[in-house]
Amino acid sequence: MSTNLIQVPLKHTAAIDLGAGLRHVIDKDYFQPSSLFASDLQTVTATRDVVAEFSDSKVDFKSPEVISQYLQILDALARKFPDDGIEFGWSSTIGHGRSALEAVHSIHTERMNAVYQLGAIYCALALKESRYTEDGLKKSCNYFQLAAGTWQYLQGMVEATPNRAPRECDSNTLECLEQLMMAQAQECIWQTAVANELKDSVIARLSMQASLYYQKAFEKGTQSPQIILEWLNHMRVKQYHFAAAAHLRMSNVALQSQQYGQQVAHLKVAAAKCAQAFKHKRYVNSFVIEDLSGLDTVIKDTLSAAEKENDLIYLQVVPSESDLKPIVGTNMVAPVVPEILKQGSSEEKLFADLLPYMILQVAQAFRERQDDFVVAEITNPINQANQKMLQFLNERNLPASIDAIQQPENLPDSLLQHAWDIKQRGGVEATDKKIAEVAELAFKSEQLVRECRGRLDMDESEDRQLVSMYGQRTRPPMEVAAQDIIGKLEKLDSYLSQAKVGDAHLRQSYATMKVDLEVYSGPQEQLQQVIPDSKYVALDSQVTMTIRTLRELLTQVDNLKAESSKLADEVEIRGRDHNILPKIIEQYKRDKSAAYNDDGSFNERVFEPVYEEHLRMYNPDLEHVHNLIQRQRQLQEQISNAYADFTTIWADRSSESQTRREKVLSHFESVYISYIELLGHLEEGSKFYCDFLVKGTAVVQECEQFLARRRVEAQEMEARNQHGMFPGVWRSPTAPE
């Protein structure tokens, strides 16, 4: 198409079977059969196929309606499906040729691409209109304003979620496109005014406003890695062209008012503007250069005649450009956001009976909160109470002190129970594996951080090569551009440093108890050999009664522990059997509109009362836990009193062999307690590193995206440099002007 305006090319997108992708998501993540939505799946597939067929030559006045329908479909999908459930692929068409297909798993990003495509369609429709009729220019102007409004709307989308924006949707590129569309819309107004032979002063102000729009577009274009030299030169030529045209018209106004000196001054400025325009003619459309040449010829001819007449006849002083009254532009255009972007979704019937994915996410989030609640309010208090009781008894050498008396040769039941428990947990072999597993996770975590730093170091090295190549800094250095990522890496390093200290302490603790654990894990005879026998002594009634009292209290301790263990099992079963999802679904169906905010976003807070009501099923369990803890405190008080009586009576009767046996039994009791604590710390360490790897992997992806983005920038810069222009030099915010 022959034109002196710029057409922003439509993006290319890969054809996908959107319906098949959604069907897979439904079958995998939802509790409903996809066959119920066969008609809806066909609709979205058919619409996406039409969108995929659009090209610069295959658009018409119905195309915006297709995009509108597709955007409403995407709105419906965003309300019902996870954002990352489907892969979409688009190729950028601005910049230096068509880019490689960029695959993105995001409905939100797909919506941005569709909005961008709408802006390009409006631009294409504007250029399809006749530029020789007033009606054609009017329609063209309207389409350009709609294109500008579309890209302005897209800027708002990008600002809201910048991490999901397509590559060419940075703020400078979008603002450049918006200003370019405004310039071309204003040019339509100017052309209409010229055709209708309006006053020179009116045409001059319209022309100057077009020049200002092209200037703004150029300035933003130089800051964008996407805008090519051909476009930049086009905008620069147009800027000077319309400024020259404005001064030419004002020279006519001066002539009409017999201000012959001002006439010559305006013509001289116009000639200078044309000369500046010609400096940027490289790669510019020949139609634009022909228009400029025609204007330049008229200006030079008129200037030559005007200077001669003024020099010979009028002899008026020719003012300098700075003394001329500025030409104030008259703006006749504005970005117009299409109604199809402002109206609400009319596709609410699509997947009407499909539960929104957010419902499943809310239910899952509540389930995780429920699990955390159970751990915090029931499981942890029970475990802490059991641990405190073990520590309490160990501080009093119970039951070792009475086992040494009552069982001078046989292994005490408590010791055998500890040995059985350690063997059930896998003993030394399982602990070695757990230690190795945590060490491996720690190594992977350190490796992940090194990968992040490696990518940043790679960018820093490549950036130094750019500086060396161009002899100047052409973009922010890595430490500025990656400031957020560097901050995240510093936090990850801090977490790892603290974890290393904890890991070293755990390994040291395990090393001190490993030999004793091997004894625990071995055959009973081995344990028997390390426990020294003591001499049997006859006990009087007072000692026997005191020991019997302690033994009964220790039995109550075992019963209390068994009761708390049973409660924990019952709570786990109850949580598994009472799913909150049906209650969430019931609340959603009762009032669907309440589940969404005014802006269409999902309002999960509306389900908080359902969650709070759901948690009330644990009220009896919370009371039971409280009761267990109270009973344990009472039991500890009784044991303290009984043990005090025992130590008073037995203080002077213990033999050397009994003391030795008691000491060894107490030592193995302490080893068991330390072993249980070690397992808990190892579990926490494993969970820490697993969470660390998840968060760290996200940072690695950020680093990869950052490096890829910077390499694209470098390629764009190299391409511009080969075309003979570099778009500007980056300066530090603190650098002097």
Side-chain angles (χ1 to χ4, degrees):
M1 178 172 54
S2 300
T3 179
N4 63 352
L5 301 177
I6 287 180
Q7 177 174 352
V8 179
L10 275 70
K11 298 183 71 172
H12 296 281
T13 180
I16 60 171
D17 191 337
L18 183 54
L22 295 172
R23 185 181 299 110
H24 174 72
V25 172
I26 294 172
D27 291 336
K28 180 171 66 76
D29 296 331
Y30 293 71
F31 300 97
Q32 297 168 275
S34 59
S35 57
L36 294 176
F37 311 101
S39 176
D40 295 336
L41 294 171
Q42 290 176 0
T43 299
V44 299
T45 299
T47 306
R48 183 55 167 72
D49 287 345
V50 175
V51 170
E53 292 176 358
F54 284 145
S55 66
D56 294 332
S57 59
K58 291 184 179 179
V59 293
D60 55 34
F61 69 94
K62 295 181 180 178
S63 299
E65 288 301 320
V66 176
I67 295 292
S68 171
Q69 183 183 0
Y70 185 55
L71 286 171
Q72 291 176 19
I73 287 174
L74 291 175
D75 285 343
L77 297 185
R79 293 163 70 95
K80 297 284 188 174
F81 290 89
D83 183 65
D84 59 353
I86 302 295
E87 179 179 287
F88 302 94
W90 290 80
S91 296
S92 175
T93 51
I94 63 173
H96 296 278
R98 178 174 170 180
S99 70
L101 196 69
E102 182 180 3
V104 178
H105 290 79
S106 173
I107 293 174
H108 197 83
T109 303
E110 176 72 359
R111 193 173 190 278
M112 288 187 186
N113 279 316
V115 172
Y116 181 97
Q117 196 78 323
L118 179 63
I121 286 173
Y122 280 131
C123 179
L125 292 176
L127 293 174
K128 281 180 176 290
E129 295 295 334
S130 171
R131 305 198 59 76
Y132 301 104
T133 65
E134 186 172 347
D135 184 61
L137 287 170
K138 180 179 179 181
K139 289 180 179 179
S140 181
C141 178
N142 289 338
Y143 280 132
F144 279 133
Q145 291 178 89
L146 287 169
T150 301
W151 277 309
Q152 184 186 75
Y153 179 87
L154 183 53
Q155 288 178 63
M157 295 177 67
V158 171
E159 290 172 2
T161 52
N163 58 319
R164 299 181 185 175
R167 181 168 63 88
E168 70 279 9
C169 288
D170 62 279
S171 60
N172 287 322
T173 301
L174 292 178
E175 194 165 347
C176 173
L177 295 179
E178 177 192 342
Q179 295 300 322
L180 176 61
M181 295 301 101
M182 294 290 288
Q184 296 187 159
Q186 180 78 12
E187 186 170 342
C188 292
I189 298 293
W190 168 85
Q191 191 170 344
T192 302
V194 171
N196 291 334
E197 299 181 351
L198 297 185
K199 293 181 179 179
D200 286 310
S201 59
V202 173
I203 296 175
R205 290 195 295 271
L206 293 174
S207 184
M208 184 55 71
Q209 186 60 47
S211 175
L212 292 174
Y213 276 131
Y214 277 116
Q215 180 182 356
K216 290 178 182 178
F218 173 81
E219 289 170 354
K220 288 298 178 180
T222 60
Q223 300 173 43
S224 164
Q226 311 298 331
I227 305 303
I228 58 177
L229 179 61
E230 287 87 334
W231 285 19
L232 290 172
N233 281 354
H234 173 99
M235 290 181 274
R236 201 60 156 170
V237 168
K238 286 279 190 172
Q239 172 195 339
Y240 290 127
H241 177 115
F242 279 102
H247 281 282
L248 174 62
R249 291 288 175 169
M250 290 307 296
S251 73
N252 293 339
V253 174
L255 175 61
Q256 293 163 10
S257 59
Q258 298 182 351
Q259 301 293 324
Y260 304 110
Q262 289 188 17
Q263 177 198 13
V264 172
H266 278 294
L267 289 170
K268 283 186 174 182
V269 173
K273 297 293 183 185
C274 285
Q276 287 178 299
F278 278 118
K279 293 178 182 179
H280 300 274
K281 69 178 182 178
R282 192 179 184 189
Y283 307 119
V284 177
N285 188 311
S286 60
F287 292 98
V288 176
I289 301 303
E290 286 177 12
D291 289 345
L292 176 63
S293 298
L295 175 65
D296 184 58
T297 298
V298 170
I299 291 172
K300 286 180 177 178
D301 291 346
T302 307
L303 173 60
S304 177
E307 282 183 317
K308 184 180 294 185
E309 290 182 359
N310 188 54
D311 290 343
L312 296 176
I313 304 173
Y314 306 116
L315 303 176
Q316 290 188 4
V317 176
V318 177
S320 64
E321 180 180 358
S322 59
D323 292 329
L324 289 173
K325 184 178 180 181
I327 305 172
V328 180
T330 298
N331 185 29
M332 298 298 292
V333 296
V336 177
V337 177
E339 288 299 321
I340 59 179
L341 294 179
K342 295 189 288 186
Q343 65 191 17
S345 175
S346 62
E347 298 291 342
E348 294 182 359
K349 293 182 179 179
L350 275 176
F351 304 102
D353 296 327
L354 180 67
L355 286 174
Y357 187 71
M358 285 301 298
I359 291 292
L360 305 179
Q361 285 190 316
V362 166
Q364 179 61 30
F366 283 155
R367 179 56 190 265
E368 292 173 1
R369 285 174 58 185
Q370 175 185 324
D371 292 342
D372 291 343
F373 173 84
V374 168
V375 169
E377 302 297 330
I378 299 176
T379 307
N380 280 348
I382 288 175
N383 291 336
Q384 290 166 6
N386 289 338
Q387 196 67 22
K388 286 180 180 178
M389 178 57 83
L390 282 173
Q391 194 66 38
F392 171 83
L393 295 176
N394 189 53
E395 290 169 356
R396 290 157 180 78
N397 286 337
L398 291 174
S401 56
I402 60 176
D403 284 339
I405 299 171
Q406 286 188 313
Q407 296 177 297
E409 296 179 353
N410 296 331
L411 293 176
D413 291 341
S414 60
L415 197 66
L416 293 174
Q417 179 63 35
H418 293 341
W420 178 86
D421 187 32
I422 291 172
K423 290 175 183 177
Q424 287 295 111
R425 296 173 185 267
V428 172
E429 183 179 354
T431 308
D432 284 340
K433 288 182 179 178
K434 194 66 178 177
I435 291 280
E437 176 188 318
V438 171
E440 184 179 358
L441 290 172
F443 174 77
K444 288 181 178 179
S445 298
E446 292 175 0
Q447 191 176 35
L448 186 143
V449 172
R450 284 196 296 271
E451 286 181 19
C452 292
R453 296 209 176 277
R455 282 160 175 76
L456 294 184
D457 291 344
M458 195 179 299
D459 176 75
E460 190 173 26
S461 174
E462 293 173 0
D463 193 55
R464 282 198 299 268
Q465 293 177 11
L466 276 181
V467 174
S468 175
M469 182 185 303
Y470 300 122
Q472 58 186 356
R473 178 157 295 286
T474 56
R475 60 178 181 176
M478 181 276 291
E479 60 269 19
V480 174
Q483 200 167 15
D484 290 343
I485 296 176
I486 292 172
K488 292 178 182 178
L489 280 179
E490 289 174 350
K491 287 184 179 179
L492 293 180
D493 271 335
S494 175
Y495 295 150
L496 275 185
S497 297
Q498 296 174 32
K500 282 182 181 179
V501 175
D503 292 347
H505 176 74
L506 289 181
R507 287 192 297 270
Q508 184 179 3
S509 176
Y510 177 55
T512 60
M513 72 174 78
K514 187 172 183 179
V515 174
D516 294 322
L517 287 177
E518 288 173 343
V519 174
Y520 258 131
S521 304
Q524 185 172 324
E525 293 77 12
Q526 184 179 352
L527 187 59
Q528 181 80 52
Q529 290 174 2
V530 300
I531 306 296
D533 295 338
S534 64
K535 294 180 181 180
Y536 178 80
V537 295
L539 304 176
D540 59 30
S541 60
Q542 187 179 14
V543 174
T544 301
M545 183 65 69
T546 304
I547 291 177
R548 182 182 297 122
T549 300
L550 280 172
R551 187 66 72 185
E552 289 173 353
L553 290 172
L554 291 175
T555 300
Q556 291 183 43
V557 169
D558 291 338
N559 293 338
L560 199 66
K561 184 177 180 181
E563 184 180 344
S564 63
S565 178
K566 181 182 178 183
L567 173 61
D569 291 340
E570 290 175 349
V571 167
E572 182 180 352
I573 294 172
R574 187 179 300 110
R576 191 166 58 242
D577 293 344
H578 292 75
N579 194 339
I580 195 173
L581 179 59
K583 298 177 182 178
I584 298 292
I585 294 173
E586 182 182 352
Q587 172 65 26
Y588 173 72
K589 290 183 176 179
R590 187 181 299 123
D591 187 2
K592 293 183 180 180
S593 60
Y596 296 95
N597 296 314
D598 294 339
D599 61 358
S601 60
F602 196 82
N603 180 17
E604 61 269 14
R605 292 184 180 178
V606 76
F607 300 102
E608 283 291 337
V610 178
Y611 172 69
E612 293 172 3
E613 178 63 30
H614 181 71
L615 286 186
R616 290 196 177 98
M617 71 175 177
Y618 292 114
N619 285 348
D621 304 309
L622 296 175
E623 293 178 8
H624 195 168
V625 171
H626 178 72
N627 178 262
L628 285 171
I629 293 174
Q630 289 296 109
R631 286 159 57 193
Q632 177 170 307
R633 288 173 181 165
Q634 295 170 4
L635 196 53
Q636 286 176 334
E637 185 176 352
Q638 293 172 354
I639 291 173
S640 288
N641 295 332
Y643 182 72
D645 293 341
F646 168 74
T647 53
T648 301
I649 296 170
W650 187 253
D652 299 328
R653 303 186 187 186
S654 177
S655 67
E656 184 179 344
S657 63
Q658 287 171 337
T659 301
R660 187 168 59 251
R661 180 176 174 84
E662 177 185 339
K663 185 177 180 180
V664 175
L665 289 174
S666 179
H667 170 73
F668 274 91
E669 190 74 29
S670 297
V671 168
Y672 175 73
I673 294 173
S674 298
Y675 170 71
I676 296 301
E677 290 178 348
L678 174 67
L679 293 184
H681 291 318
L682 287 174
E683 195 62 38
E684 290 176 3
S686 179
K687 184 178 184 302
F688 164 80
Y689 284 118
C690 287
D691 292 342
F692 184 95
L693 287 171
V694 171
K695 295 176 182 177
T697 299
V699 178
V700 170
Q701 292 173 350
E702 283 188 56
C703 291
E704 289 176 344
Q705 292 169 0
F706 171 78
L707 182 59
R709 208 163 47 240
R710 296 271 283 183
R711 283 175 170 172
V712 169
E713 286 178 3
Q715 291 170 0
E716 296 284 353
M717 291 173 184
E718 185 176 355
R720 288 189 180 194
N721 192 55
Q722 291 173 352
H723 279 80
M725 176 192 175
F726 210 81
V729 179
W730 180 85
R731 291 187 179 183
S732 166
T734 58
E737 292 295 333

